[in-house]
């Protein structure tokens, strides 16, 4: 189904996510002995997300057109429990990311392939986890915005 959603909702999601990205950058610098370089990268990404969110909140007047797929396993999990959907989607995506990481490590010729090295790589590559969190939140809010949208704005595509 295709539906209209207000830019105010989407903008608020971007503003909150920009604060999360900045918080992650600060935590990463404080908990590691790295330089402040990651903080600059995460700060810049956070500012971009914040600017996009503020633009959507204050200046964008036209509604967004979004698409959700009904009668899929994701939709059925959303109807059953939002928290169950978040957990299942996160676990499935994390398993896919881990499998992809294993394949990349094997193709690159890494001889030291263990559970600990994979988890360490995932921890040091926290950007992957932030993208995963964004995907989960985006999926859940897509269905949420669909159900709060006016029925006359919905149509099948």
């Amino acid at each position: 189904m295709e539906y209209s959603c207000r830019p105010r909702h989407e903008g608020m999601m971007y503003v909150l996510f920009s604060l999360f990205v900045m918080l992650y950058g600060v935590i990463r610098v404080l908990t590691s002995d790295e330089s402040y370089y990651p903080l600059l990268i995460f700060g810049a990404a956070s500012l971009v997300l914040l600017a996009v969110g503020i633009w959507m909140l204050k200046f964008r007047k036209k509604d967004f057109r979004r698409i959700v797929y009904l009668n899929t396993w994701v939709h059925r999990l959303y109807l059953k429990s939002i928290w169950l959907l978040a957990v299942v989607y996160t676990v499935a995506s994390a398993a896919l990311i881990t499998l992809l990481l294993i394949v990349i490590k094997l193709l690159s010729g890494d001889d030291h392939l263990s559970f600990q090295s994979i988890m360490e790589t995932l921890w040091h590559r926290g950007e992957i986890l932030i993208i995963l969190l964004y995907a989960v939140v985006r999926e859940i809010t897509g269905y949420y915005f669909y159900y709060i949208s006016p029925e006359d704005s919905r149509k099948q595509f």
Side-chain angles (χ1 to χ4, degrees):
M1 294 286 287
E2 188 178 39
Y3 67 97
S4 297
C5 77
R6 295 188 175 146
R8 181 174 59 98
H9 301 301
E10 192 90 10
M12 187 56 79
M13 186 177 76
Y14 273 87
V15 168
L16 292 175
F17 201 72
S18 73
L19 295 174
F20 178 76
V21 169
M22 180 54 85
L23 179 67
Y24 174 78
V26 169
I27 290 172
R28 184 166 173 182
V29 167
L30 292 177
T31 59
S32 67
D33 55 353
E34 296 179 15
S35 66
Y36 290 106
Y37 183 68
L39 184 61
L40 293 175
I41 292 173
F42 286 111
S46 178
L47 287 176
V48 167
L49 288 171
L50 183 66
V52 169
I54 290 172
W55 173 75
M56 287 181 193
L57 281 170
K58 298 294 181 187
F59 303 111
R60 170 114 182 175
K61 302 298 181 207
K62 188 177 174 185
D63 286 350
F64 287 112
R65 300 297 295 169
R66 297 286 184 236
I67 296 174
V68 292
Y69 297 99
L70 302 178
N71 297 326
T72 61
W73 68 273
V74 176
H75 180 241
R76 287 190 296 272
L77 273 176
Y78 176 82
L79 293 175
K80 191 173 196 173
S81 169
I82 293 174
W83 294 107
L84 182 62
L85 171 63
V87 169
V88 169
Y89 200 86
T90 302
V91 168
S93 300
L96 185 64
I97 288 170
T98 305
L99 182 65
L100 183 64
L101 185 64
I102 289 171
V103 168
I104 290 171
K105 281 185 166 269
L106 287 175
L107 289 177
S108 68
D110 191 4
D111 294 335
H112 184 56
L113 187 63
S114 66
F115 180 76
Q116 182 179 359
S117 70
I118 291 170
M119 289 298 118
E120 186 175 303
T121 303
L122 280 175
W123 179 252
H124 288 298
R125 294 275 127 224
E127 303 85 26
I128 296 171
L129 300 176
I130 288 178
I131 293 169
L132 171 67
L133 176 69
Y134 177 77
V136 169
V137 169
R138 180 98 171 152
E139 191 73 30
I140 290 172
T141 56
Y143 286 109
Y144 175 74
F145 293 154
Y146 170 74
Y147 282 110
I148 66 169
S149 69
E151 289 207 21
D152 60 340
S153 73
R154 303 174 191 171
K155 65 179 182 176
Q156 288 196 358
F157 65 97

